[in-house]
Amino acid sequence: MRIDSLPYNNVQTQGPARRRWLQEHAPQHLEQCAALMLEALRRRSPALSPGIAVLGAGACTEIPLEKLARAADEVVLVDLDQAALLQARAELPAASLQARVQLLTCDLTGGVSALLQERLRLLPWPALEQGEASALWDRLAAVLDDCPVPDPPQIEGLPSAAFGLAISSLVLSQLFSYPLLDLLDTVQQRAARHLGTQERHRRYQEAAQHFRLRVIAAHLHLLRNLVEPGGLVVLLSDVRGFLFREGEVSQGGSTRRELPLVPYAFFDLVRQTFTVLVERRWKWLSDLPTAERLGRGYEVVGYLATVPAT
């Protein structure tokens, strides 16, 4: 499964060296991420728990961890990559701050990738490979529809209504894209001649979109459940990717290809789940282009929201 390779990929894309690269090439991205989190600290009521949960923390490349730790009695960093979490905590300059940071290694979806793989293994792949493409994608659409998505995921070590602030840091699109890429990887291995035809199969496209929305809704509900009534949530998510050629380094320049990452219904789901206080959008560059390959960048939406008291 793709999530199994996440720690290896994070070595290339997170940590102090990556932060220095971003400070040079995409400083606005770091500034915008930190600004929303620090604004949440300023707005947090003294009556709320001083505890903070950070989902998708990784090596805290875009997270002002020292400032969060100074403003909390406990910061819980949550990610699948334990090595990255350890690295983030070790960067703190004082043992007293490190003692405030707890680490929790888990799959934030509650195991969706594994649940999907179990169902894919049960399919009659030889018959599906020999049959029509439509039959394969119909079957895979049914698998997606039937795949459980824990809503919200129950994660041991993350109690409900225990935090004054919960942060989701640029992890949302990975939660649904990795399982879907796992599915396509399986098709590549077991029925390669049909790979690519899914783009013309409406039933499969609808099922994949519904699967994305179920995973998104579950993550939003997890965030909502973690904070006390009246608590705050910061949600950062890539919403669109773009590729660009050498010479088009400016973030405002034309792009060669845009890649939608989240369904448009995501924006409505956020406002149905939270009371949005601040919404900001920006673009950032993740890789510069060379003569041989295109550069990459992302459009991000950042929310500061509250969970209404009931």
Side-chain angles (χ1 to χ4, degrees):
M1 296 184 295
R2 297 232 177 181
I3 60 172
D4 294 334
S5 63
L6 191 62
Y8 171 79
N9 294 333
N10 284 350
V11 171
Q12 318 299 319
T13 61
Q14 295 189 12
R18 180 61 170 173
R19 191 179 303 114
R20 289 191 294 271
W21 189 94
L22 290 171
Q23 286 168 345
E24 179 180 356
H25 299 287
Q28 182 196 26
H29 175 56
L30 295 177
E31 292 163 5
Q32 293 276 20
C33 291
L36 275 175
M37 297 179 203
L38 298 180
E39 184 168 350
L41 292 180
R42 290 191 294 271
R43 292 195 184 208
R44 183 182 55 178
S45 167
L48 292 170
S49 164
I52 301 172
V54 185
L55 310 185
C60 291
T61 306
E62 289 114 336
I63 297 164
L65 180 57
E66 181 178 346
K67 292 180 179 178
L68 295 183
R70 292 187 185 278
D73 60 356
E74 181 180 60
V75 179
V76 181
L77 302 181
V78 189
D79 201 278
L80 193 66
D81 185 352
Q82 184 180 44
L85 295 177
L86 289 166
Q87 179 184 16
R89 183 168 63 182
E91 283 189 63
L92 290 170
S96 60
L97 292 176
Q98 293 180 16
R100 297 182 189 182
V101 177
Q102 305 302 313
L103 310 181
L104 180 58
T105 305
C106 69
D107 176 357
L108 284 167
T109 67
V112 168
S113 288
L115 292 167
L116 181 59
Q117 282 299 307
E118 290 175 5
R119 284 151 181 78
L120 291 174
R121 280 194 291 268
L122 297 175
L123 293 181
W125 285 103
L128 291 171
E129 194 277 336
Q130 292 298 319
E132 297 293 329
S134 60
L136 169 68
W137 297 113
D138 277 339
R139 192 68 175 268
L140 292 174
V143 166
L144 287 176
D145 286 341
D146 293 340
C147 182
V149 174
D151 187 2
Q154 301 300 308
I155 298 176
E156 186 175 356
L158 277 183
S160 297
F163 301 94
L165 170 62
I167 298 168
S168 175
S169 180
L170 298 168
V171 70
L172 180 62
S173 61
Q174 296 178 13
L175 301 181
F176 58 77
S177 64
Y178 282 13
L180 290 173
L181 289 170
D182 285 340
L183 182 150
L184 296 179
D185 288 344
T186 302
V187 174
Q188 174 68 51
Q189 296 161 8
R190 307 297 296 272
R193 74 189 188 95
H194 295 315
L195 192 64
T197 59
Q198 74 272 16
E199 301 297 335
R200 302 189 298 274
H201 195 276
R202 182 176 177 179
R203 169 81 176 86
Y204 174 79
Q205 293 301 322
E206 290 175 346
Q209 191 76 322
H210 182 56
F211 178 82
R212 294 183 185 98
L213 289 172
R214 287 196 292 146
V215 173
I216 289 170
H219 189 67
L220 298 182
H221 296 158
L222 173 61
L223 283 169
R224 182 187 63 195
N225 286 7
L226 289 178
V227 299
E228 299 174 294
L232 295 173
V233 166
V234 172
L235 172 62
L236 307 175
S237 178
D238 297 323
V239 295
R240 186 178 301 274
F242 56 88
L243 304 175
F244 57 98
R245 297 185 182 89
E246 195 171 17
E248 296 177 339
V249 176
S250 169
Q251 294 187 17
S254 61
T255 60
R256 173 176 175 174
R257 182 185 176 197
E258 291 195 350
L259 310 167
L261 298 175
V262 299
Y264 190 77
F266 158 73
F267 304 102
D268 291 332
L269 283 173
V270 170
R271 294 186 177 274
Q272 291 166 11
T273 308
F274 305 110
T275 299
V276 174
L277 305 174
V278 178
E279 177 181 348
R280 295 178 184 156
R281 298 198 188 204
W282 63 92
K283 294 180 180 180
W284 66 287
L285 307 180
S286 64
D287 296 283
L288 295 179
T290 67
E292 292 76 30
R293 65 175 174 80
L294 297 171
R296 289 188 302 162
Y298 295 94
E299 179 184 343
V300 175
V301 64
Y303 293 103
L304 170 57
T306 187
V307 176
T310 56

